[in-house]
Amino acid sequence: MRTDGFRFLIFGLIVVFLQVVILNNIQFLGFVNPYLYVMVILVLPVDVSKHQILLFGFFLGLVIDLFSSTIGLHTSAALLIAFLRFFLLKYLAPRDGFEFSSRPSISEMGLPWFISYSGILILAHHFFLFSLESLKFSELGQILIRTFSSAAFTLLLVIAVEYLRYRRKVRS
Amino acid sequence: MRSLIALLWRNNFSILFFLLLLLSLGLLTRFNRFHNSNFLGFSNALNGAVSTRIKNFTEYLTLSDVNEILMHENAKLKSRNMESLYRYGSELLVRENEIYRQQYSFQAARIVNSTTNKRSNYILIDRGSAHGVKPEMGLISPFGAVGLVKSVSKNYSLAYSFLHRQSVLSAEHAATGYFGLVRWDGNNSTIAQLYDIPSHAKVNAGDTIFTRGSSTYYPRGIMIGTVNEITGEEEGFHEIDINLSVDFRKLAYVYVVHNNSKMEQLQLQSDTSTVKE
């Protein structure tokens, strides 16, 4: 269990590093910006307590904010999906519940389940983030375009990274 | 009482969520309003330290473009040198009754990080309070005005570019001399909007728009852009789309504008505004 936690920490650090160093600098088509870091919240094991996940989301967002001079923006968006995750997992749980220490991942739950699970949370995160950034109802159309294009990009990246992790696990 | 505590305890997850949400939204509004807090300075320093390392790698990719821009600017300045001027005769060029005082001085700075794809974009430069940069100083480039410094740490400064929700810029229509305000609607990083030019003013596509120099941030006559098209009219004023002369996606270096008359101008303005009321 301890090695699992350590592995997860390394994984989280790599994702945050990727987000800050590479993805924050991507400006595809002028408005598409992937936020891969939400993945760290998405794939936390099911048996981590919901309060811990809430605090974890808060501090993860704060770290991203610190590196991009947007204090509070990612903090609140990451917090929101850490909160929603609990209810979504309840709703999407298999009929006989999750097994102890299982993960919301492609390898354990299958691709269609994973797409609907992470798709919903990513959309919620991006919509909240871009709305908070704009704060104008008149810009709703633009917020929606940003939300859907960036969410599609983020989801693709999350699935790609998820497959990379999965393949490595099969080999070892 | 006991049932109230039980109710709170049963919903402790939601309560923890709302408390943390209030905290983070509090952080957000606080740092949007008070740009000089230590925490944001710390964030700027952290952001700057990482971005400088990235920039050191990626800078080489744009080096030839940057060189060319600097060459052009050097050539322009060289042609203004006294040695480049032909002397017609001493009496024509002697202007001994005029006295000049340096009002603006410029300080070169490297952009270490910037965004153009968000609703509110910023520019991080590698000059800070240790180099004399203060909040409310303007940034310009060889192509035109760029933005306004909002917060400084020891070695870095964070500026709003014009591509920001809160950026407003006082502008002048070169052909007619009418004043207006430039804002950005968030759609396209090459186009901004000009308001408050009266609709009887003759505005044509291609007309130059430059800074009015009223705000103490920029000298007068710094290029902002050219008129793209008149998109509408509201209550006797034009609504105009302008092509920004600065390509914010390519910008690598800027000049920080130091206005030596700033205090005097602000002092006079605040004195007269109390008289007026």
Side-chain angles (χ1 to χ4, degrees):
Chain A
M1 201 55 216
R2 177 170 283 176
T3 54
D4 258 21
F6 183 69
R7 258 195 187 167
F8 196 84
L9 187 71
I10 298 288
F11 167 71
L13 286 177
I14 291 175
V15 170
V16 168
F17 180 81
L18 278 178
Q19 180 70 48
V20 170
V21 172
I22 299 175
L23 298 176
N24 274 355
N25 294 308
I26 285 187
Q27 323 217 326
F28 184 60
L29 292 181
F31 55 86
V32 178
N33 208 174
Y35 293 105
L36 181 67
Y37 77 88
V38 297
M39 179 176 187
V40 184
I41 299 172
L42 296 184
V43 300
L44 273 169
V46 180
D47 59 339
V48 178
S49 92
K50 51 186 181 176
H51 297 85
Q52 279 174 12
I53 290 187
L54 215 52
L55 289 172
F56 182 79
F58 182 84
F59 286 108
L60 176 70
L62 194 62
V63 167
I64 299 291
D65 274 337
L66 279 178
F67 280 102
S68 41
S69 301
T70 52
I71 314 275
L73 188 67
H74 291 287
T75 312
S76 37
L79 182 69
L80 176 75
I81 62 162
F83 179 68
L84 292 180
R85 187 192 119 117
F86 171 71
F87 299 100
L88 189 65
L89 275 180
K90 233 180 180 176
Y91 179 72
L92 290 176
R95 196 169 298 157
D96 43 354
F98 286 102
E99 282 170 40
F100 186 71
S101 91
S102 70
R103 290 160 187 276
S105 61
I106 296 179
S107 53
E108 288 182 36
M109 307 302 300
L111 186 60
W113 184 91
F114 188 78
I115 287 180
S116 51
Y117 163 72
S118 42
I120 291 171
L121 287 183
I122 288 171
L123 277 176
H125 172 270
H126 285 27
F127 180 69
F128 186 73
L129 183 78
F130 293 135
S131 305
L132 208 55
E133 212 178 27
S134 161
L135 284 181
K136 270 188 196 150
F137 191 69
S138 58
E139 291 173 357
L140 186 66
Q142 206 194 333
I143 292 171
L144 288 176
I145 294 174
R146 276 166 183 263
T147 301
F148 281 106
S149 54
S150 293
F153 208 154
T154 306
L155 184 61
L156 277 178
L157 270 176
V158 168
I159 291 171
V161 172
E162 185 61 23
Y163 268 117
L164 280 177
R165 292 177 72 209
Y166 177 50
R167 215 180 54 185
R168 210 185 45 200
K169 221 172 277 169
V170 168
R171 232 188 263 153
S172 62
Chain B
M1 190 62 203
R2 184 174 290 174
S3 62
L4 179 69
I5 293 175
L7 183 75
L8 286 178
W9 183 247
R10 230 179 305 135
N11 291 317
N12 63 7
F13 180 53
S14 306
I15 289 169
L16 178 66
F17 167 67
F18 282 113
L19 283 180
L20 286 174
L21 190 68
L22 274 181
L23 180 61
S24 53
L25 291 179
L27 287 176
L28 185 67
T29 46
R30 189 182 156 78
F31 292 113
N32 267 336
R33 233 177 317 147
F34 308 105
H35 295 281
N36 259 328
S37 56
N38 292 330
F39 199 38
L40 191 58
F42 170 65
S43 168
N44 285 352
L46 209 58
N47 187 354
V50 174
S51 303
T52 309
R53 298 216 158 72
I54 303 169
K55 199 75 192 175
N56 286 341
F57 278 111
T58 56
E59 199 170 36
Y60 293 99
L61 302 173
T62 55
L63 210 55
S64 63
D65 282 349
V66 172
N67 266 342
E68 195 166 334
I69 293 161
L70 291 178
M71 287 278 285
H72 279 297
E73 196 170 29
N74 274 342
K76 208 163 86 186
L77 294 177
K78 224 177 173 66
S79 60
R80 281 192 207 156
N81 248 349
M82 282 312 281
E83 291 83 51
S84 314
L85 302 177
Y86 178 77
R87 278 181 78 122
Y88 274 105
S90 55
E91 70 280 4
L92 276 175
L93 275 178
V94 173
R95 299 189 284 191
E96 55 191 26
N97 289 330
E98 290 183 50
I99 299 168
Y100 291 89
R101 180 172 59 88
Q102 180 111 31
Q103 185 183 358
Y104 295 102
S105 41
F106 304 94
Q107 175 184 29
R110 185 167 72 138
I111 295 179
V112 290
N113 198 1
S114 67
T115 64
T116 58
N117 59 353
K118 304 196 179 352
R119 180 62 187 93
S120 292
N121 295 289
Y122 69 88
I123 291 173
L124 191 70
I125 59 173
D126 68 346
R127 290 283 178 272
S129 56
H131 313 93
V133 180
K134 297 193 186 93
E136 310 285 293
M137 282 183 171
L139 298 184
I140 60 172
S141 78
F143 302 104
V146 170
L148 193 62
V149 173
K150 277 296 168 183
S151 71
V152 294
S153 59
K154 188 157 167 274
N155 293 307
Y156 298 97
S157 302
L158 187 76
Y160 288 176
S161 72
F162 294 142
L163 312 180
H164 194 286
R165 194 154 55 88
Q166 291 172 11
S167 276
V168 184
L169 177 64
S170 184
E172 185 173 335
H173 181 236
T176 60
Y178 281 107
F179 306 135
L181 292 176
V182 174
R183 292 170 203 274
W184 186 56
D185 68 359
N187 275 324
N188 185 332
S189 69
T190 61
I191 289 178
Q193 284 65 41
L194 174 63
Y195 300 98
D196 291 357
I197 300 274
S199 49
H200 59 79
K202 275 191 82 172
V203 178
N204 300 313
D207 284 357
T208 304
I209 307 292
F210 56 70
T211 55
R212 186 184 166 194
S214 61
S215 52
T216 73
Y217 307 141
Y218 314 95
R220 182 167 177 271
I222 301 287
M223 183 81 171
I224 298 171
T226 54
V227 173
N228 182 341
E229 61 170 336
I230 299 175
T231 52
E233 193 195 323
E234 200 179 340
E235 291 170 13
F237 293 103
H238 283 309
E239 286 180 4
I240 301 168
D241 270 4
I242 60 174
N243 294 319
L244 291 168
S245 59
V246 175
D247 188 344
F248 287 92
R249 288 165 301 185
K250 274 200 205 158
L251 215 53
Y253 287 85
V254 289
Y255 301 109
V256 183
V257 179
H258 293 251
N259 183 351
N260 302 324
S261 309
K262 185 173 198 154
M263 286 322 291
E264 190 183 334
Q265 191 177 336
L266 290 179
Q267 184 64 44
L268 186 63
Q269 275 173 352
S270 69
D271 287 354
T272 36
S273 68
T274 49
V275 170
K276 206 165 49 186
E277 277 159 7

